[in-house]
Amino acid sequence: MTTLRIYPIPAFRDNYIWIIHNTTSATVIDPGDAHPVLDYLQSNKLQLESILITHHHSDHTGGNGMLLDRFDVPVYGPIHETIPTVTHPLQGGDTVHLPLLSLSLAVIDVPGHTSGHIAYFGSLPGPEKKNILFCGDTLFACGCGRLFEGTPLQMYQSLQKLTDLPEDTLVYCTHEYTLSNISFARTVEPSNSDLQQFEHHANQLRNRNQATIPTNIATEKNCNPFLRCNQSEIIKMASQYAGKKLSEPLDIFIALREWKNNF
Ligand SMILES: [Zn+2]
């Protein structure tokens, strides 16, 4: 069995369009721009098999039309959002089968950033069976997406679902926000030594112009303040920011999200 490659195609200022492929076929996730995807397909002599969409924002869907002009492929996307090019609407509990890649992905509902946002989780074929997650703008390395449509509770619960995945799961999010997220995280939890190590690692990657993504669930549990709302230092700092004593994890999460919006 040929191994699958997962590659970040840079787009716009800081987006990654993820492509999964073997030597002949490819699936692309959240193609906001068709041009860099077409370039990648052409230079690697790949046929597009399908398009997966996590949510309706144009920097995740804008390339669909041009890709569909070239390739007659299914477009999978969230059932609870209006995306005209989606041919196969999905919701949590569904499974996407990608036969040319020998890959199946389970769909998880993760509302919050948008109201119908979905994520895709699966295991790569082959002896290693690496777990992979494509989560769009929900969970970022050391951060989370802004709440454009959903409620804080929805986002909090969506992030909980993702942290319940196996700790070795590789997390393929769609923006290179890591260093600025770490800068906020260090302000919120200055004594977290795992976070300091992760910053060192991320700086090294960025100095070589490499993506800091994928991250993984274990690292996020150790470093991401939005997943650490029960940590005493974060509770103290969030309470200081809010100007009142907070104790409920959801209230901590709300304070952190507001603080980050203004950071
Ligand atoms: Zn978005």
Side-chain angles (χ1 to χ4, degrees), residues 55 57 59-60 113 137:
H55 68 291
H57 286 159
D59 63 325
H60 296 250
H113 176 68
D137 288 349

Side-chain angles (χ1 to χ4, degrees), residues 132-148:
I132 54 173
L133 172 72
F134 297 95
C135 57
D137 288 349
T138 302
L139 174 63
F140 291 125
C142 280
C144 74
R146 284 174 184 262
L147 305 180
F148 286 118

Side-chain angles (χ1 to χ4, degrees), residues 31-32 34 51 53 60-69 75 83 85-86:
I51 298 172
I53 300 294
H60 296 250
T61 57
N64 285 0
M66 188 180 279
L67 291 173
L68 292 172
D69 286 345
V75 181
I83 305 169
T85 45
V86 166

